[in-house]
Amino acid sequence: MRRLLLAGLVVFCLMPAASIAAPAAATPLDMETIMANPDWIGQAVQDPYWSVDGRSLYYSLKRDGSPVLDLYRVDPASGHSVKLDPAAMAQAEGPAVFDRAHRHAAFILHGDVFLVDLGAGRRLQVTRTPQKESAPQFSSDGRALQFREGNDWYSYDLASAVTAPAAVLKFADDPHAKKPDALGQQQLDLFKTLREIKADKQAMRDADKALDAADPSRAPAPFWLGDGIEPVDTELSPDGRWMLVVTTPKDYKAGKAPQVTHYVTDSGYAEQQDARVYVGHNDPAPQSLLLLDLANHKQYPLKTDALPGIKDDPLKAIREHTVAALEKAGKTDQAKALKAPDVRPLTVFSADNGGGIVWSDDGSQAAVQLRAIDNKDRWIASVDFSKHALVTQQRLTDNAWINWNFNDFGWLRNSHTLWYLSEQTGFSQLYSKPLDGKATALTSGTFEVSHPQLSEDGKWFYLRTNQAAPYSYDVYRVPVTGGALTRVTRYQGMEEFSLSPDGSQLAVLHSSPYMLPQLAVQPSSGGAPRKLTDTMKPAFTAHAWIAPKIVEVKSSHGAGSIYAKYYGPANESAASEPAGSKPAVIFVHGAGYLQDVTLSWGHYFREQMFHNLLVQQGYVVLDMDYRASEGYGRAWRTAIYRQMGHPELEDLLDGKAWLVKNHHVDPARVGIYGGSYGGFMTEMSLLRAPGEFAAGAALRPVSDWTLYNHEYTANILNDPQLDPEAFKTSSPIEYADQLRDPLLIEHGLIDDNVLTEDSIRMYQRLVELHKKNFWMSLYPLERHGFVHADSWYDEYRRIDELFETYVKPVKAAAVGS
């Protein structure tokens, strides 16, 4: 359970005292300034990494007035930074990997592979190709450097300087394995010459096979994997003995893609673009695993039908309910189509989400992370190379959906113990498990653990966690055997970190509500940090921005505390203000699963400046991490399962009540706005709680979840064919008849994430219902995330005018009271 620190609708300010000092008088804000190109603020430090020798750090900054990223090098000892010109960039390094003995390093620079002899300090370019190589790794014996180009792996022998393919994969049928049909066999039976030609060809192949076996300098023979599959991923073992291949059926039909129309184009003609497929219009393609024995040139399928629970139907009750309704309606074909599979299809969890395939350092072990396409199970399985089979090491089941975060896993240095993150207790924690033993929790508590990094000596895990408070993130470390978490940094707004090659130093990206991510360095065991960058610009830092006060709002529905950021005037005094004297705005963050209540620089920096402007205009503002938000554990995340927009609305209404009670807000003068999921929630708030909000602005909103994608939507609502009630319950368009408060809809016309079709359909529905006071503004050159300052300005000018017209004025009833 999350901590319940307060009873009732009581606020507790949790910001450091220095952060809430009254700001000095400043030049008033204006919309033109805060919605201008954000280059006037400064540039965020991006993608820091250590040099090969650990004596420098590299980082990137966006160039003012350009999307180009410039590369910088900084000396951690002096803090002196140098912008690298093209000539210097040619001599730069990329993020490095090291062999087990730390004699050599390798990195990718401009898509090519480079090797460094650490003892001699000699640098060698291994490839110079138009293709993009990636994923360098050293063989377990340190004698070869392996890398990939697409799904093809290569091995560079350090002694001979020869590069060869680790394996040759052919996704076609072996032409030599084809058996003659009846007519072909008759030809062979009839004609001796044909038999002799066939025998000669076979003799040549046998000779080549013998030469291949005796001569290691020859390229390997191809693996013929069949023409019915295509590759998704390949992973080579460090010892070069094995390769794991992830495949999917060839020509799998993903479903019909809707189209986005570009009206303002270079050509002057309207142009079409395919977008992503709607949820329920064919699930993602199932995936399979092949194990290739590169030494013996054999291939083995790794079956998944023995995974625990793989033959269960976690959606049985919902399935039976829907099938019964379809059969009652005479829709027997649709009912039959919902039959549960005998073996649930799955995919290999993407490495982008921390999953994928991981090899032990010595190449003796491999582990694979698998996820059911129905989103209810995650398995971590090791590979038994002697039996060519998967062995389940951990199964995580979630009756709602498996989180797309907290799936990192790997091997300890001993190569026979796995480590992994799991939400099995309700919060992401770190575990270790010997292949033949039981799992051990290395961390525990009601906080989130993420981004684990194993120290070079294998003794420590470094982690990102919010152990101190849900909104405060720092680096901690814990012994690989478990024990107490030790706090390493004290920023409260830590973004990411990287250990130096020798493990002695920690590079840290950190930020605060009004400071872009900056780079610092400190001892990895803890200690005083050294500031390395300050990329903020005086025009921004000179302004007396309002420090958001992090507060707790008590849920009236038993959910605990809802964390929020409150923006109000300096020296606000509740005692001197009459009840119901203020207008307010509630901001609803996007994505659903996102944490906006932190002590870091946020994704919503423009909105935060807008909130400052609103306070300047006489409003107060509340920004809430409603149920569904990240950072508060599994139960908070999954509260919206099959009922999106319902728990969140309860929380937003609790936030409104908190404003009324604690800040003398007029309940009749509260506006609401947000983008993406926040736009969805704005529509749900106005449509499911008519009269509660004076007006709302829905930016790029989802109005009908049947039009969104599979990857996000099916996690939370299942498939629309299987669970139509969840989609109806969760879609604003189903409540359009209840609109009575002013609604502004704003949408990028070339949005290929939440399609503009969503808003246009809602608009047409409101037209047909003869509703009043609703408007739509479309932006021809904007996608889901706006990028042009003119569009940002126009979008927020309209929101500001909406609130000035319908929220700020005192209502007639209030005047007479």
Side-chain angles (χ1 to χ4, degrees):
M1 294 289 291
R2 298 177 59 243
R3 297 187 301 275
L4 308 183
L5 300 182
L6 301 172
L9 296 175
V10 180
V11 58
F12 179 44
C13 177
L14 296 162
M15 288 284 290
S19 301
I20 59 173
T27 303
L29 294 170
D30 61 82
M31 193 70 72
E32 289 276 4
T33 299
I34 65 175
M35 295 298 159
N37 184 313
D39 284 352
W40 75 278
I41 298 171
Q43 302 298 349
V45 175
Q46 301 181 50
D47 306 320
Y49 61 91
W50 289 93
S51 63
V52 167
D53 61 11
R55 297 176 183 174
S56 301
L57 279 159
Y58 293 92
Y59 62 90
S60 297
L61 289 179
K62 191 188 84 68
R63 188 181 299 174
D64 283 353
S66 169
V68 173
L69 291 177
D70 289 314
L71 187 65
Y72 290 72
R73 183 172 58 236
V74 60
D75 176 5
S78 67
H80 178 63
S81 282
V82 177
K83 178 182 173 181
L84 303 186
D85 60 22
M89 286 183 66
Q91 299 303 313
E93 301 161 337
V97 297
F98 298 84
D99 63 10
R100 299 170 74 191
H102 265 247
R103 294 192 181 98
H104 294 91
F107 56 85
I108 301 293
L109 186 65
H110 50 65
D112 288 310
V113 182
F114 288 78
L115 173 70
V116 179
D117 183 323
L118 297 176
R122 184 172 59 253
R123 166 174 162 157
L124 175 70
Q125 185 170 359
V126 175
T127 67
R128 185 179 296 157
T129 69
Q131 293 79 30
K132 297 293 185 182
E133 285 85 32
S134 63
Q137 64 182 36
F138 285 93
S139 62
S140 52
D141 60 11
R143 296 179 180 177
L145 172 60
Q146 303 159 343
F147 58 91
R148 66 190 296 171
E149 188 273 302
N151 284 313
D152 296 323
W153 281 87
Y154 298 87
S155 182
Y156 172 81
D157 184 81
L158 273 62
S160 66
V162 172
T163 300
V168 177
L169 308 184
K170 298 289 188 181
F171 290 88
D173 293 331
D174 184 351
H176 307 306
K178 183 179 180 180
K179 302 295 184 183
D181 58 14
L183 179 59
Q185 188 59 54
Q186 183 188 42
Q187 295 293 93
L188 290 172
D189 292 341
L190 289 172
F191 302 108
K192 180 183 71 171
T193 304
L194 289 179
R195 294 195 296 273
E196 291 173 348
I197 293 171
K198 182 178 181 180
D200 289 345
K201 290 179 179 179
Q202 185 60 49
M204 293 295 293
R205 287 195 294 271
D206 291 343
D208 279 341
K209 190 174 181 180
L211 289 171
D212 287 342
D215 184 357
S217 68
R218 293 167 66 94
F223 281 90
W224 297 95
L225 302 179
D227 67 354
I229 57 174
E230 57 188 15
V232 175
D233 187 26
T234 58
E235 297 293 342
L236 177 66
S237 66
D239 63 5
R241 168 72 189 275
W242 305 94
M243 181 177 285
L244 282 165
V245 182
V246 184
T247 70
T248 192
K250 187 178 180 181
D251 301 325
Y252 183 82
K253 302 300 182 183
K256 182 179 179 179
Q259 290 194 317
V260 170
T261 301
H262 296 245
Y263 290 99
V264 181
T265 64
D266 291 338
S267 69
Y269 293 89
E271 298 172 3
Q272 302 296 318
Q273 170 206 337
D274 283 345
R276 80 290 182 281
V277 177
Y278 298 145
V279 61
H281 291 248
N282 282 15
D283 288 344
Q287 295 176 359
S288 301
L289 280 164
L290 287 172
L291 175 64
L292 306 185
D293 182 342
L294 305 187
N296 297 305
H297 203 266
K298 295 182 179 298
Q299 56 180 288
Y300 307 93
L302 292 179
K303 297 181 179 180
T304 58
D305 57 1
L307 293 171
I310 192 67
K311 297 179 181 179
D312 297 342
D313 181 11
L315 294 164
K316 181 179 180 181
I318 296 172
R319 192 182 309 276
E320 290 177 347
H321 175 79
T322 303
V323 167
L326 289 170
E327 289 176 342
K328 184 177 180 180
K331 300 177 180 179
T332 55
D333 289 344
Q334 294 181 37
K336 290 178 181 178
L338 294 180
K339 181 181 181 297
D342 295 330
V343 177
R344 288 190 283 161
L346 46 72
T347 61
V348 174
F349 216 139
S350 170
D352 294 338
N353 297 108
I357 296 168
V358 290
W359 291 94
S360 62
D361 287 347
D362 63 3
S364 65
Q365 303 291 346
V368 184
Q369 194 171 134
L370 303 150
R371 176 176 174 138
I373 286 179
D374 61 32
N375 310 307
K376 310 303 184 193
D377 273 291
R378 182 195 80 178
W379 297 269
I380 296 175
S382 58
V383 178
D384 184 330
F385 295 104
S386 63
K387 297 181 179 179
H388 314 119
L390 295 175
V391 179
T392 302
Q393 296 295 332
Q394 195 252 357
R395 176 191 179 190
L396 178 64
T397 298
D398 196 312
N399 293 329
W401 74 93
I402 297 292
N403 199 341
W404 42 80
N405 286 354
F406 311 130
N407 297 294
D408 305 62
F409 74 131
W411 295 93
L412 296 185
R413 299 288 185 233
N414 62 25
S415 294
H416 59 75
T417 302
L418 279 164
W419 62 262
Y420 57 88
L421 293 179
S422 175
E423 277 190 323
Q424 63 196 57
T425 64
F427 289 83
S428 172
Q429 299 296 329
L430 180 64
Y431 298 82
S432 67
K433 184 188 180 300
L435 292 182
D436 55 355
K438 294 183 178 180
T440 299
L442 303 182
T443 63
S444 63
T446 54
F447 53 86
E448 305 279 27
V449 166
S450 65
H451 300 80
Q453 289 186 28
L454 189 59
S455 64
E456 184 58 36
D457 61 12
K459 296 179 179 179
W460 297 91
F461 276 109
Y462 287 78
L463 314 158
R464 181 178 189 259
T465 179
N466 58 354
Q467 184 189 44
Y471 50 82
S472 175
Y473 286 89
D474 267 299
V475 180
Y476 289 67
R477 70 176 187 173
V478 65
V480 296
T481 54
L485 277 169
T486 302
R487 191 169 182 174
V488 178
T489 67
R490 296 187 175 274
Y491 290 107
Q492 299 184 294
M494 195 283 300
E495 304 282 342
E496 60 182 82
F497 65 93
S498 175
L499 286 163
S500 62
D502 65 1
S504 66
Q505 297 187 87
L506 196 67
V508 182
L509 267 189
H510 62 97
S511 68
S512 63
Y514 295 102
M515 183 182 73
L516 287 158
Q518 302 296 329
L519 183 61
V521 67
Q522 70 175 71
S524 60
S525 58
R530 182 180 298 114
K531 174 181 173 180
L532 298 180
T533 62
D534 181 0
T535 62
M536 304 300 296
K537 293 185 177 177
F540 182 83
T541 58
H543 190 83
W545 300 102
I546 300 169
K549 298 178 182 179
I550 295 183
V551 302
E552 291 183 64
V553 175
K554 176 68 175 176
S555 168
S556 64
H557 298 84
S561 294
I562 310 158
Y563 284 83
K565 291 191 290 192
Y566 172 75
Y567 298 82
N571 302 318
E572 184 177 16
S573 174
S576 63
E577 297 170 341
S581 61
K582 292 179 185 174
V585 170
I586 293 178
F587 170 67
V588 192
H589 70 68
Y593 191 62
L594 176 147
Q595 188 173 12
D596 198 35
V597 181
T598 70
L599 297 177
S600 303
W601 179 267
H603 175 74
Y604 299 103
F605 65 92
R606 289 187 184 87
E607 288 79 354
Q608 182 167 250
M609 291 189 289
F610 180 55
H611 299 162
N612 277 255
L613 178 61
L614 288 174
V615 172
Q616 179 181 295
Q617 295 174 170
Y619 302 84
V620 294
V621 180
L622 194 66
D623 172 1
M624 305 183 74
D625 273 348
Y626 50 84
R627 274 175 285 174
S629 298
E630 184 180 2
Y632 305 95
R634 178 202 170 275
W636 198 259
R637 169 176 67 82
T638 62
I640 62 170
Y641 179 57
R642 303 187 68 228
Q643 54 172 358
M644 295 168 79
H646 292 250
E648 309 96 300
L649 178 55
E650 294 174 352
D651 295 345
L652 296 175
L653 292 175
D654 281 341
K656 176 188 170 184
W658 179 86
L659 287 169
V660 170
K661 180 174 181 178
N662 292 280
H663 291 278
H664 296 285
V665 165
D666 182 348
R669 292 193 292 153
V670 179
I672 187 170
Y673 87 103
S676 193
Y677 200 98
F680 153 71
M681 278 310 308
T682 296
E683 290 188 345
M684 286 294 267
S685 298
L686 266 61
L687 299 175
R688 290 196 58 251
E692 286 286 352
F693 296 96
L699 290 55
R700 51 198 178 276
V702 174
S703 64
D704 186 345
W705 285 107
T706 63
L707 302 185
Y708 201 51
N709 66 14
H710 175 93
E711 289 74 16
Y712 182 93
T713 317
N715 278 300
I716 308 172
L717 301 179
N718 303 312
D719 278 355
Q721 294 85 356
L722 179 66
D723 201 352
E725 291 181 10
F727 282 80
K728 185 174 182 179
T729 297
S730 302
S731 294
I733 201 167
E734 299 290 344
Y735 306 95
D737 62 329
Q738 298 186 47
L739 181 69
R740 55 180 269 195
D741 307 303
L743 170 63
L744 170 65
I745 301 172
E746 299 183 299
H747 216 127
L749 201 52
I750 56 173
D751 190 337
D752 52 5
N753 180 6
V754 178
L755 306 184
T756 318
E757 173 188 11
D758 237 320
S759 290
I760 292 174
R761 291 174 76 250
M762 172 64 86
Y763 193 88
Q764 177 63 22
R765 179 76 175 129
L766 296 174
V767 167
E768 294 182 1
L769 290 167
H770 295 188
K771 294 296 179 180
K772 299 178 180 178
N773 292 333
F774 65 95
W775 309 268
M776 182 164 61
S777 180
L778 300 177
Y779 297 86
L781 291 175
E782 300 296 350
R783 295 192 184 274
H784 194 61
F786 283 23
V787 296
H788 302 101
D790 292 338
S791 300
W792 276 105
Y793 171 79
D794 187 83
E795 182 181 40
Y796 275 79
R797 175 188 62 80
R798 294 174 188 273
I799 298 170
D800 191 41
E801 291 173 356
L802 176 78
F803 291 159
E804 285 291 298
T805 304
Y806 295 100
V807 177
K808 192 173 185 180
V810 177
K811 304 298 186 287
V815 172
S817 61

